[in-house]
Amino acid sequence: MASPQGYVQRQQGSVSEAPSKVYQPNTAAPAISYTPTEVNIPSKLYDKVPNLNLYKKLQDAEKQLDLLIAQKGLDFQSVQASSMQANSMKRETGILRVFIYNTCQNQPWQNNQSKVNETSNTDSSWTLRVEGRFISDSPEVSEAKEMKFSSFLSGISIEIVPNEDYPSLQGSQSNIIEWRNEGNNNGNNQGGNSQLSNGSSQWSFDGIDVTRQGVFPIKSKIAILTKDYTFKLSVSQEMAQFTGKREASQQELIYSIWQYVLFKKLFKRADSYSNVPAVPASSMSSQALNSQSNEETDLSVVQCDEVLKDLLKVNTFKFKDLYQLIQPHVRPRQPIVLDYEIDTTRSTTLGDVVVDIPVELALSMGKMEKEIIDENKSAFESMSKSDELVQYLNQRISLGIVALQSSNNREQFYRELSDDPVVFIKKWLESQSETLKALKSEEGFNEEDVRKAQYFKEHEQELRQKIDLMLGAQKL
């Protein structure tokens, strides 16, 4: 037993809220200190102190919370890993608003001429213009607003349809004006080099002008093909009715069929499997043909219902052959074709023909990385604040437990002293003698006894006190 003077009584104040930041004092450590992580309460104290069972419930809840945090940590790592994939990022969407109009110059009615003559035919002209502007769906300021019209196009074609009023255009190669983006257009015309070829990634524009001489109306065909970064294809009418999409990637089509098969439970065993017509037998190896007779899992062969029979034109199929089966239903994306008649009776027709084309923008890796960094930074800042608060509360709990153990030791000391003062003083002197030996040297311990586990069970409380004293004296 240690004397009551050997215990440290900590000052207990009123419970206050956790500070915004915990500061560690720079004062010297006391001569005797308790480990701040000591949160074990002796079982006998639960009967003495009322409401102490609430702390036990708190510990049980903390274990469940730690398990939940570990699970959420794994989920967070999974979400973070998937967020780094470009395909999982949400692309910026909007509409490409295309204006098609024409202007007239030196027309007879503009020069107050009553009739058309050869001079007016030479001087009079019209200009067909096709231009576009991007309008973002996002209310935030979009970087795409600074991009040129050509940045959204894979190609554009303008065909002037000759008529009897324009005999010079018959068979002329200038009737078709075409531009194709042969590279990745970044929307920047660097250096303003006028010698750049048509389709160059640096050859950008906000609009195309086609100027011809003439005073009569004439028809034209305009084909516009926008860029697509999702590898979507046009689908047949049957596939469009099945999926509800007019354009889709091949992966989306296969996934839609997979979901339909799962919902309808169309899987069956392979013993009634027949060859798929879409897969020629000549392309199969003998090993593959022999393997068809083996029993396979339920997820290998699909028994088509009436809907899939009409769509894929087979009775049964394997999913490895589905890629060939959907090929008749996909074709390259078709351009938007517009018929426009040039009006030479007005100065301008701006606003008569306006076309809105939905578009998706390419992912900006710099912007994507910035968003990921900002999200992670916000998450880590929130976690740091929570950890700081938890550490502060753990420190307060540790101090409370130390004070509780100190009070219990004092109560036990005075109670045993009052029960039998002579015997208690005798034991107390023996304990103080052993404590003094422990402070002075390594004496006082029998090596044979110390090697036995029973010794530590019988002297647990005494060993704890000695270790605390030696820690306070900086001998450990």
Side-chain angles (χ1 to χ4, degrees), residues 2-148:
S3 65
Q5 289 80 6
Y7 297 95
V8 177
Q9 182 178 4
R10 301 180 181 271
Q11 183 178 358
Q12 299 296 318
S14 59
V15 178
S16 59
E17 296 184 357
S20 59
K21 189 171 183 180
V22 179
Y23 294 93
Q24 297 295 337
N26 296 325
T27 58
I32 301 175
S33 63
Y34 291 90
T35 307
T37 57
E38 178 63 41
V39 291
N40 295 323
I41 299 178
S43 58
K44 56 186 177 182
L45 287 181
Y46 285 94
D47 299 331
K48 295 182 179 181
V49 181
N51 299 330
L52 196 56
N53 288 326
L54 296 177
Y55 177 71
K56 190 174 182 180
K57 294 181 179 179
L58 178 62
Q59 285 183 316
D60 295 338
E62 186 178 6
K63 292 179 181 179
Q64 297 178 359
L65 182 60
D66 290 339
L67 179 60
L68 179 61
I69 291 175
Q71 294 175 347
K72 294 301 180 181
L74 296 176
D75 295 341
F76 176 76
Q77 293 178 0
S78 176
V79 171
Q80 187 180 26
S82 63
S83 66
M84 298 299 294
Q85 303 296 327
N87 294 334
S88 64
M89 297 295 295
K90 184 178 180 181
R91 299 176 183 269
E92 183 178 356
T93 60
I95 60 173
L96 182 63
R97 180 157 293 174
V98 181
F99 299 87
I100 303 175
Y101 63 97
N102 70 272
T103 58
C104 298
Q105 302 84 27
N106 297 322
Q107 295 293 327
W109 55 269
Q110 291 177 319
N111 297 329
N112 295 325
Q113 296 180 7
S114 58
K115 60 181 180 178
V116 178
N117 51 39
E118 295 182 357
T119 304
S120 63
N121 284 338
T122 303
D123 297 336
S124 302
S125 64
W126 48 261
T127 299
L128 173 63
R129 181 169 178 81
V130 180
E131 64 180 23
R133 296 289 184 273
F134 175 75
I135 302 176
S136 176
D137 292 337
S138 175
E140 301 177 356
V141 178
S142 173
E143 299 177 358
K145 292 184 178 180
E146 305 298 330
M147 296 173 63
K148 298 291 186 179

Side-chain angles (χ1 to χ4, degrees), residues 53 71 74 116 150 153 165 197 374:
N53 288 326
Q71 294 175 347
L74 296 176
V116 178
S150 59
L153 303 179
D165 296 326
S197 62
D374 292 341

